[in-house]
Structure formats: C-alpha cells, structure tokens
Amino acid sequence: GENVEQHPSTLSVQEGDSAVIKCTYSDSASNYFPWYKQELGKGPQLIIDIRSNVGEKKDQRIAVTLNKTAKHFSLHITETQPEDSAVYFCAATNNAGNMLTFGGGTRLMVKP
Amino acid sequence: DVKVTQSSRYLVKRTGEKVFLECVQDMDHENMFWYRQDPGLGLRLIYFSYDVKMKEKGDIPEGYSVSREKKERFSLILESASTNQTSMYLCASSLFSGEKLFFGSGTQLSVL
C-alpha cells in the first residue's frame, strides 16, 4: 500500500519567516495530494490540494509543489503569522483513489 | 458548512468493555471514514464506507468493526476494548471518494 513520510516533525519559525514542510510518497499511481491543518482541539481541515497533472498551486500565503518523478511534494507558507501555528498533515491517495494515507504530521510553531 | 459531529469529546472505558463511537454528518455525503490519530503516526484509516450498509477495511481494522445503517450515521465499535486502543478517534465524511474530507472534532478514548 501507499506509504507517506513527512518531515520535519516539528518546525519553529519567527513570525514573518517562511516555513516549508516536505512529504514523500511510495505509490507512483497516486494522483491527489491534499494538505490538512489541525488546530488544538479541532479536527483537521483541508487547506490546499494538488493533483498529479499540476506542478504547483498557490492560495494567498500558502503554496504546494509536486515533483512526480521524485515522488515528493511540499507545503510552503510565506509571511508566517502566529495563527499559522498548528499541526499540518500531508496525504496521498491510494491507486484506487478511494483512500487517503496521511503523513506523520508536522507541528509548526510561529514565534511572535 | 458541512458539519460532522462526534457524540463524545472524551470517553473513559475499562478493558474488555464494548465501546460505541458515533458520528453524524449533515451534508448527505456518500463516504464516511474512521481514523485513529496517534502522535508521530499521523492519521491511520480504520474503516470507511461508501454507501449505506457498505464497509471497507482500512489500514488497521483489527479489533474494530463499523455500522452504517443510515447515510448520515457511521458508528465505530470496539468489541472488547484494550489499552492499546487508547487514542484520538476522528470521523470524516466526503462527497467524493478519497477527496476533500470534512473531519469531526474527535473523541479522545482512554481504555484503563
């Protein structure tokens, strides 16, 4: 089955700096790669996603890049703010497209 | 907005008890999921359902069963709770199979 590795497990940045979280996946048939943000006491919430026919996608301060050849994708957050502090999860679909496999999560801390 | 409601925020049970975790969604979604969240391991899929009375095993189904008698309700059952089932349990629903999951706030289950 699909295996998703996520790094780093914790990330601390100064407010205003950029943050990058990286994930690798194992199944070359995977074609959908979402990112979820989980705030304290809440369930994860989808923040951005990308499909395998696209190399990059942006939404205001967040962007995701995908390298299909290398089987890795990354989340980029620019101009970080304290409210960006949360746990972020990457995920990839299985080859049937009906299941998501999640990475281990990254705890992002943005220091004011 | 989609709302996914989990019946309990915190639950404490004893080893060997039968445990029911309930989840209800209000957006007429076909697909519903049960995940388990443990630190460093991300979210792992226990079971999912793509229709009433239909269920599919996820990555870690052992020790669990599910029930989906109505479209809006998906129940996770621990037949005989064990201490290694102490975890955060997250329910999710989606319109499309493995995409754009909407999560509940989670149930923190402690098995003593």
Side-chain angles (χ1 to χ4, degrees):
Chain A
E2 176 71 277
N3 184 46
V4 178
E5 302 272 348
Q6 182 171 346
H7 299 280
S9 56
T10 60
L11 179 59
S12 182
V13 299
Q14 209 65 38
E15 182 177 359
D17 287 350
S18 294
V20 180
I21 303 170
K22 299 182 179 182
C23 289
T24 60
Y25 61 98
S26 61
D27 188 346
S28 56
S30 294
N31 60 10
Y32 175 69
F33 307 92
W35 286 88
Y36 286 80
K37 175 183 180 182
Q38 185 178 28
E39 297 175 338
L40 199 61
K42 298 183 179 180
Q45 185 172 11
L46 179 69
I47 56 171
I48 195 167
D49 54 14
I50 192 168
R51 296 187 185 279
S52 56
N53 59 348
V54 175
E56 183 176 358
K57 185 176 178 180
K58 282 185 179 179
D59 183 3
Q60 299 183 339
R61 295 186 299 106
I62 60 173
V64 57
T65 58
L66 172 65
N67 183 326
K68 278 192 67 178
T69 304
K71 289 191 282 188
H72 67 69
F73 56 113
S74 301
L75 178 72
H76 304 253
I77 306 174
T78 57
E79 299 172 22
T80 54
Q81 301 167 4
E83 52 265 37
D84 294 328
S85 296
V87 179
Y88 291 81
F89 293 98
C90 63
T93 47
N94 64 344
N95 56 11
N98 60 358
M99 280 175 49
L100 278 178
T101 297
F102 284 82
T106 297
R107 180 173 299 279
L108 173 65
M109 293 168 284
V110 181
K111 293 181 283 188
Chain B
D1 278 353
V2 174
K3 192 165 184 184
V4 178
T5 304
Q6 294 183 230
S7 54
S8 305
R9 185 72 182 94
Y10 298 97
L11 211 51
V12 180
K13 296 292 181 180
R14 296 210 174 272
T15 303
E17 277 192 80
K18 190 168 186 175
V19 181
F20 292 86
L21 302 183
E22 306 285 346
C23 175
V24 177
Q25 51 98 0
D26 67 358
M27 280 301 289
D28 204 35
H29 283 171
E30 303 289 339
N31 305 282
M32 295 190 75
F33 307 82
W34 274 106
Y35 283 89
R36 168 177 174 158
Q37 181 176 9
D38 299 288
L41 298 178
L43 282 67
R44 293 179 292 167
L45 182 63
I46 304 171
Y47 268 97
F48 66 101
S49 168
Y50 53 88
D51 201 352
V52 175
K53 296 191 186 295
M54 306 301 289
K55 61 184 180 183
E56 293 281 346
K57 291 180 180 178
D59 295 320
I60 52 164
E62 298 78 18
Y64 303 95
S65 62
V66 290
S67 172
R68 190 150 180 220
E69 296 297 318
K70 293 185 177 181
K71 191 175 186 179
E72 67 271 17
R73 188 178 296 270
F74 192 35
S75 302
L76 180 69
I77 304 154
L78 286 66
E79 295 290 343
S80 178
S82 64
T83 54
N84 62 12
Q85 292 178 309
T86 291
S87 187
M88 170 68 77
Y89 290 88
L90 288 161
C91 175
S93 72
S94 72
L95 185 58
F96 302 109
S97 194
E99 301 186 7
K100 300 191 191 302
L101 270 60
F102 291 86
F103 283 89
S105 296
T107 295
Q108 179 64 52
L109 173 67
S110 297
V111 183
L112 306 177

